[in-house]
Amino acid sequence: MTFEIIFVLLALAGMVAALVFDLMRPGMILFTVVVIFMCAGILSPKEMLEGFSNKGMITVAMLFLVSEGIRQSGALGQLIKKLLPQGKTTVRKAQVRMLPSIAFVSAFLNNTPVVVIFAPIIKRWAQSVDLPYTKFLIPLSFVTILGGICTLIGTSTNLVVHGMILDAGYRGLTMFELGKVGIFIALAGMVYLFFFSNRLLPDVRTSRGEEEEEAEEESTPQLHRVETILGSRFPGINKTLGAFNFKRHYGAEVKEIKRKGKIFTEDLNKITLHEGDTLVLMADDTFIPTWGESSVFVVLANGTEEEKSKMGAHKRWFALVLMVIMIIGATIGELPFMQKLVPGIKLDMFFFVSITTVIMAWTKIFPPRKYTKYISWDILIIIACAFAISKAMVNSGFADYIAAEIITMSDRYGPHVLLAIIFIITNVFTEIITNNAAAALAFPLSLSIAQQLGVDPMPFFVTVCIAASSSFSTPIGYQTNLIVQGFGNYKFTDFVKIGLSLNILAFLISIFLIPLIWPFN
């Protein structure tokens, strides 16, 4: 083992520890590691910066804007209202009606706005029909993940791996290629949720603070309950609630703080605020208009009927038509007959999402003057650094060394066992750190294993995509899980109880189907 391999190993171990203990925002942690690699000579400045100009990373940025345009059009809100059954129903019947459609939508849109829009509507609906909303919110998050693994644009991780595949000199993924295995995982996952979520998920946990808020809301009708998540730009991060004086800044009173399954209702002024905390507020009617579009909050529910879309029906339909054209164009654009028809232009997802973004901006489907606030810059930095970290693992010989050790351990069992090992490694990492960071660590190992075995690396690449997105066992592995955890008062163990079986289901289907669809030879 050379000094460079040891250095990279220690740096990556430090990165994982920093991500697990949430010492900084993930993007800055990965960027720090990349800078360390550059200072050590493992990466050149050019290699360090290549990820920031990668087509996949820019595609993710523009997909954020397309998703925001669809969100602001009000189309998603109208969809979920039509899916929710009115009158008396059961948990299973309601899930069968809405979960497949949500999975379909999330295959083409960023998962976070889908959950942010659907969660409060579903929660209010469940309360109105006297069903426990806790039976729906974790399934909501899970089906957005299941839908996302079915297409190239369903999750940023798929685009990241696609970009790495192209950089390695191989044919990339087509729009629906992952759906060959993803759709079977999605269908099996939804059937599992239909039959077991009602039994495994808890009933509504009403805290004493929530009962007090309901009484306060009845006594002061001008106030209502607002649930919001603290964003990265919230100015009170790492300050105590008392020192920050939330009420003076935002004119609302904090009644509860929810964090990782814990609910704080007493001595709130002594609690230090962190990004991702869910705050339960008592606020007046000015709070949502003032702060609803602010990047310091992700407003989930305002306690009243959701705000109507400011767009007319014609713009809503125009936004949907643009998205459909983008998807169809990217699907058929890379077919051989289209490449012959337009030989000078690469009609891929980047091409069509660029056009869609510009049209949405000029037709004001999303506010063009505020376009930067709708992009998750931390995710983009993670993606750009992921390319550099992957390159450092190759340059140092770390990827080849670890791959050789894994092959030696499983020499007698062949590539199928190695495929299973890659899935487990990637999946464990994605449950404890970010999915894109997990893909960055797993991709070079997969490529090196395939090259040393002399087999086609595509089965390993697909496995990384599926494993990096199959985050069901913990709330920290995926942003939508964190959102519904606070909104539904879920404990960490609730995710383990229902999600671990889903992880195992995704593992078994992947290891069985992937080698059949993408043979090793």
Side-chain angles (χ1 to χ4, degrees), residues 272-285:
T272 301
L273 300 172
H274 298 296
E275 179 189 352
D277 284 353
T278 300
L279 304 188
V280 178
L281 316 172
M282 292 304 295
D284 61 22
D285 292 335

Side-chain angles (χ1 to χ4, degrees), residues 185 423 466 470 472 501-511:
I185 296 172
F423 188 103
I466 302 297
S470 299
F472 306 109
S501 297
L502 261 180
N503 281 88
I504 295 171
L505 200 61
F507 168 77
L508 294 175
I509 294 173
S510 298
I511 300 308

Side-chain angles (χ1 to χ4, degrees), residues 33 39 58 141 170 193 241 332 383 442 449 492 503:
V33 174
C39 293
I58 305 300
S141 178
Y170 294 91
L193 291 172
L241 183 63
I332 68 172
I383 291 171
I449 286 173
F492 188 98
N503 281 88

Side-chain angles (χ1 to χ4, degrees), residues 5-192:
I5 293 175
I6 295 172
F7 186 86
V8 169
L9 175 62
L10 292 175
L12 293 178
M15 180 190 80
V16 171
L19 288 168
V20 170
F21 291 105
D22 197 23
L23 299 182
M24 277 189 188
R25 300 201 70 202
M28 182 52 67
I29 292 173
L30 267 70
F31 186 69
T32 301
V33 174
V34 169
V35 171
I36 290 172
F37 288 152
M38 182 186 69
C39 293
I42 296 171
L43 287 175
S44 68
K46 181 177 181 295
E47 289 172 330
M48 174 187 169
L49 295 172
E50 279 176 351
F52 289 91
S53 60
N54 183 270
K55 188 188 288 187
M57 193 270 280
I58 305 300
T59 301
V60 172
M62 288 187 288
L63 283 170
F64 279 122
L65 297 178
V66 172
S67 295
E68 180 62 23
I70 298 297
R71 186 191 75 80
Q72 295 213 12
S73 73
L76 293 179
Q78 294 296 319
L79 171 66
I80 193 63
K81 283 188 210 173
K82 287 181 170 57
L83 292 175
L84 293 173
Q86 301 304 315
K88 192 171 182 180
T89 186
T90 64
V91 170
R92 185 181 297 176
K93 286 180 181 177
Q95 287 182 345
V96 169
R97 180 164 174 170
M98 63 177 159
L99 293 188
S101 298
I102 295 172
F104 178 81
V105 169
S106 67
F108 305 104
L109 291 177
N110 184 275
N111 293 350
T112 301
V114 172
V115 171
V116 168
I117 291 171
F118 287 0
I121 298 174
I122 290 173
K123 184 174 181 178
R124 275 195 299 270
W125 164 82
Q127 290 169 329
S128 70
V129 296
D130 200 26
L131 289 175
Y133 57 79
T134 46
K135 307 292 186 182
F136 297 95
L137 296 181
I138 281 183
L140 166 65
S141 178
F142 284 1
V143 294
T144 62
I145 296 171
L146 291 169
I149 64 177
C150 294
T151 67
L152 178 62
I153 62 171
T155 172
S156 61
T157 309
N158 294 347
L159 284 165
V160 169
V161 175
H162 172 69
M164 290 179 176
I165 294 172
L166 295 175
D167 285 351
Y170 294 91
R171 176 188 64 83
L173 300 166
T174 59
M175 176 62 114
F176 294 103
E177 188 166 4
L178 291 171
K180 294 175 183 177
V181 63
I183 194 166
F184 290 102
I185 296 172
L187 290 172
M190 282 187 284
V191 170
Y192 167 78

Side-chain angles (χ1 to χ4, degrees), residues 319-336:
L320 290 174
V321 168
L322 282 176
M323 189 182 75
V324 170
I325 292 174
M326 177 188 79
I327 294 164
I328 294 175
T331 303
I332 68 172
E334 296 192 59
L335 295 177

